[in-house]
Amino acid sequence: MQNKFPNVRFLAPDRVFVSEEATIGDGAIIYPDNYIYGRTVIEAGAVLRPENILEDAFVGAGSEIEKSVLRGARVGKNCTVGPFAHLRKGANVGDNCRVGDFVEIKNSVVGAGTKVSHLAYVGDADVGENCNIGCGVVFCNYDGKNKHRTRVGNNCFIGSNVNLIAPVEIADGAFVAAGTTVTEGAGKGDFVIGRVRQQIRAGGAKRYLGGEEK
């Protein structure tokens, strides 16, 4: 491997598998326990931290991948991915993005500068640039019979635990509040919130648990 990639730094070459068809750019750093299959391309200066599986994937210059699986996926320049992310076939992540822990992306485009930081599923979607996709967001793409697509514009904020029920479109600059289930499209700059109003019953916990007579 070192002869084939003389300008790549393998920290433990005996613990790395690289396909004969793979390409690795100069200055890349490959940590132990990486498995690089198929026609994977790793551009110059990228870093593969331990325990990644890449198959027919593309990793842009300067990007860093940690403990993640990329199959048929593309990651742009200067991104961070992982740990424990899963980018499936058709995932196309733009430059300067953050894909965090326990994020799954499938058949989706994620625009430059967008952050999907943790615990989210992005499936069959087109997400614009400079968006925030919060913790627990689910792109609900399957109705039990067919897959549908969701479109999110640029500069959108999608709060934690939001469900986007496809097909639906969120226009540029919209803000979707945490806990909302979105079933209708949102216009440019709209604020979207959909929750059951909170009720408080003083002392109700003890009564509910049977610790106090009703």
Side-chain angles (χ1 to χ4, degrees):
M1 266 189 308
Q2 202 63 59
N3 292 333
K4 184 178 179 182
F5 305 108
N7 297 315
V8 175
R9 186 180 176 193
F10 292 94
L11 300 186
D14 57 330
R15 291 172 58 186
V16 175
F17 172 82
V18 181
S19 164
E20 290 292 330
E21 300 174 298
T23 301
I24 306 177
D26 292 349
I29 301 174
I30 313 295
Y31 280 73
D33 302 323
N34 274 282
Y35 298 86
I36 302 167
Y37 298 110
R39 297 184 178 180
T40 293
V41 175
I42 300 167
E43 288 197 327
V47 178
L48 299 187
R49 294 199 174 274
E51 300 179 15
N52 296 294
I53 299 173
L54 282 67
E55 183 175 358
D56 297 324
F58 179 95
V59 178
S63 287
E64 185 171 315
I65 316 295
E66 181 177 3
K67 291 185 179 179
S68 295
V69 176
L70 284 68
R71 287 194 168 99
R74 183 181 181 89
V75 174
K77 299 177 181 178
N78 301 313
C79 295
T80 58
V81 176
F84 309 116
H86 186 185
L87 275 59
R88 294 166 55 192
K89 186 176 180 179
N92 188 341
V93 177
D95 297 342
N96 303 303
C97 288
R98 167 68 181 147
V99 177
D101 47 312
F102 302 104
V103 171
E104 181 177 355
I105 301 176
K106 167 251 179 188
N107 190 29
S108 297
V109 176
V110 177
T114 286
K115 296 179 180 179
V116 191
S117 294
H118 35 219
L119 297 166
Y121 172 67
V122 182
D124 298 301
D126 298 292
V127 180
E129 298 181 356
N130 300 312
C131 293
N132 181 84
I133 308 299
C135 179
V137 170
V138 176
F139 286 68
C140 304
N141 57 329
Y142 184 51
D143 64 6
K145 292 183 180 179
N146 300 297
K147 299 288 180 68
H148 302 280
R149 203 156 186 89
T150 295
R151 289 178 171 81
V152 176
N154 298 324
N155 304 302
C156 290
F157 183 95
I158 310 297
S160 296
N161 292 320
V162 165
N163 296 310
L164 299 167
I165 311 298
V168 71
E169 184 167 351
I170 309 296
D172 293 353
F175 187 111
V176 182
T180 297
T181 294
V182 179
T183 57
E184 300 178 10
K188 186 174 182 179
D190 282 354
F191 181 91
V192 182
I193 185 168
R195 304 172 185 155
V196 175
R197 186 174 295 276
Q198 179 176 311
Q199 297 180 355
I200 299 177
R201 298 177 181 175
K206 287 185 178 180
R207 289 195 295 271
Y208 176 77
L209 296 171
E212 183 178 305
E213 291 186 6
K214 296 180 180 180

